[in-house]
Amino acid sequence: MSRLLPSLFGQLSLSDWALHLPLTLSALPLVVGGCQADGQRLLRYRAQGHLIHYLRFSHHLIVLNYLISTFDLYQLESVSSEDIKVTDAVFDGVEVRVFEPPARGDESLKRGVVYIHGGGWALASARTSLYINLCRIMADSLNAVVVSIEYRLIPKACFPEQYHDALRATKHFLQPDVLAEYSVDPSRIAISGDSAGGNLAAAVCQQLSKEEDLTVTPKLQALIYPVLQAFDFNTPSYQQNRNMPVLPRHVMINYWLYYFNGNHDLAHALLINNHTALDVGQALSFRGRLNWTSLLPPSFKKDYKPVVQTTGTAEIIQKMPALLDVRAVPLLADNETLQLQPKTYVLTCENDVLRDDGAMYAKRLENAGVDVTLDHFHNCFHGCMIFTLWPTDFSAAFQTRSSYIKWLDENL
């Protein structure tokens, strides 16, 4: 697969290059030959990203999102059609895009899906054609009202604002009068998301499960290659895929730092797990919740060894307490919270640093008594599911999307 990905990048459209520009730039030396140390990659990534700052254009992530929207080849498809009605709305102060299938004579009420897009809490949009296409397909295939949340992005908002946006919009949709307005069956609602959106979906689902005053809660959650922890950047999948194009390890670390509005000088300390060393007292109580040696199957662990520092840097947690905040890192939730979670689907890809995040969460949920489906794809990569539009219409995308929608159709 690692040999196939460089050719994949050569087929990306301009809008897709914009979406993955910070990723592809950092991976360029890998594509043209030769690997460099993670520390050097981190420094180079910062230099590339902050060139736009230096030239006083804007924050580079704002520029990238501008490019994504400007060169979106399919942006005109956001309008309604005979098959799917597409409208923009505001749910408790949060912008959303709603996809409604036409009424069918055999059913009076529809299913409902709350969908949260990925992009490292910084890129993409509910209005990006790749996500519009996904939500259209879901609405049509499932006869479901799909609510795609347009949460605020880095750098205009950092944690916990993205989480609050997702939670507010979801709770608004779950109100009985709102569900009635959209003709949605309150007993058939799922919350879902990919990558950073999977992170937000899992965190929102955990919070909803604790709120006793809610009359409607999700029946299911479906997480697509979710990012769920910043405790250990040396899980087997982080080690195995540390230089994998699309999402190398150092790029994921930088997304976490942006999300937490942290100092990027701390990147290397995070990379070697200094923030969760044995002498960092704040992290000790969480260590048992993320012991990959017991949570992962042998086929994932292979011959990789845990990276646990004896002496670390406790100041990192003091500067970024969100590293241990379950609203940001749902994998660290306690067992009492996990027991309350609904039936769950987790999709993981072999060629992805986040593979083990999803697998560990699935195992912890299973251990807590939750009905879980772990759907693992051996020949797929992070982000693949949304690439179903020409010229980035890859077989991996159709394979994963089909399996995901099939599970929703059978269980929702």
Side-chain angles (χ1 to χ4, degrees), residues 10-274:
Q11 302 175 46
L12 293 180
S13 68
L14 186 54
S15 61
D16 298 323
W17 272 106
L19 176 59
H20 292 291
L21 185 58
L23 317 181
T24 54
L25 281 175
S26 60
L28 186 58
L30 183 66
V31 174
V32 300
C35 295
Q36 299 185 15
D38 273 316
Q40 292 175 311
R41 289 179 174 274
L42 287 164
L43 292 174
R44 189 177 65 257
Y45 175 85
R46 291 182 60 203
Q48 292 161 342
H50 293 287
L51 175 61
I52 293 175
H53 293 278
Y54 179 77
L55 296 176
R56 299 182 183 276
F57 290 155
S58 178
H59 194 289
H60 70 282
L61 293 173
I62 295 177
V63 173
L64 287 170
N65 268 322
Y66 174 78
L67 292 172
I68 292 169
S69 61
T70 300
F71 297 105
D72 195 334
L73 299 179
Y74 296 90
Q75 58 184 324
L76 294 180
E77 290 196 2
S78 62
V79 298
S80 297
S81 66
E82 293 183 0
D83 297 326
I84 302 295
K85 177 184 176 183
V86 181
T87 56
D88 292 326
V90 177
F91 285 3
D92 193 15
V94 180
E95 295 181 7
V96 299
R97 176 155 284 190
V98 183
F99 300 78
E100 298 176 75
R104 297 180 182 177
D106 58 335
E107 290 186 27
S108 58
L109 295 178
K110 305 179 182 70
R111 299 160 167 167
V113 178
V114 175
Y115 195 85
I116 311 176
H117 72 81
W121 309 282
L123 300 174
S125 164
R127 298 181 175 90
T128 303
S129 62
L130 296 172
Y131 285 107
I132 291 171
N133 183 60
L134 173 62
C135 291
R136 279 179 176 277
I137 295 294
M138 291 170 61
D140 181 59
S141 301
L142 300 170
N143 189 33
V145 174
V146 179
V147 175
S148 185
I149 300 177
E150 184 78 335
Y151 58 90
R152 288 171 291 170
L153 300 175
I154 300 166
K156 294 183 177 180
C158 296
F159 177 81
E161 299 310 318
Q162 287 86 341
Y163 163 79
H164 287 317
D165 285 356
L167 180 62
R168 287 202 309 273
T170 302
K171 290 179 69 173
H172 179 89
F173 182 61
L174 293 177
Q175 295 179 94
D177 57 332
V178 177
L179 295 176
E181 177 186 348
Y182 288 101
S183 299
V184 171
D185 186 339
S187 67
R188 303 179 75 186
I189 299 171
I191 182 167
S192 184
D194 64 294
S195 194
N199 168 282
L200 294 170
V204 167
C205 206
Q206 288 183 7
Q207 178 59 33
L208 294 176
S209 70
K210 301 175 186 177
E211 299 195 10
E212 298 179 356
D213 59 334
L214 291 179
T215 58
V216 179
T217 55
K219 178 184 180 181
L220 309 173
Q221 65 175 332
L223 312 177
I224 313 302
Y225 32 75
V227 50
L228 298 170
Q229 60 90 23
F231 192 94
D232 185 355
F233 291 106
N234 289 274
T235 63
S237 62
Y238 265 113
Q239 294 187 55
Q240 171 183 299
N241 301 300
R242 63 186 181 276
N243 294 323
M244 184 65 65
V246 178
L247 189 62
R249 175 168 60 175
H250 67 280
V251 171
M252 189 63 245
I253 290 174
N254 272 283
Y255 276 132
W256 277 115
L257 288 167
Y258 280 125
Y259 191 37
F260 295 152
N261 196 25
N263 187 333
H264 285 256
D265 291 336
L266 299 174
H268 183 68
L270 293 178
L271 187 148
I272 61 175
N273 289 345
N274 266 357

Side-chain angles (χ1 to χ4, degrees), residues 5 10 33 82 120 189 214 241 269 302 318-319 336-337 351 353 364 370:
L5 285 174
E82 293 183 0
I189 299 171
L214 291 179
N241 301 300
K302 300 182 175 69
Q318 296 169 6
K319 293 177 180 178
E336 290 73 19
T337 298
N351 302 289
V353 294
R364 287 202 64 206
V370 177

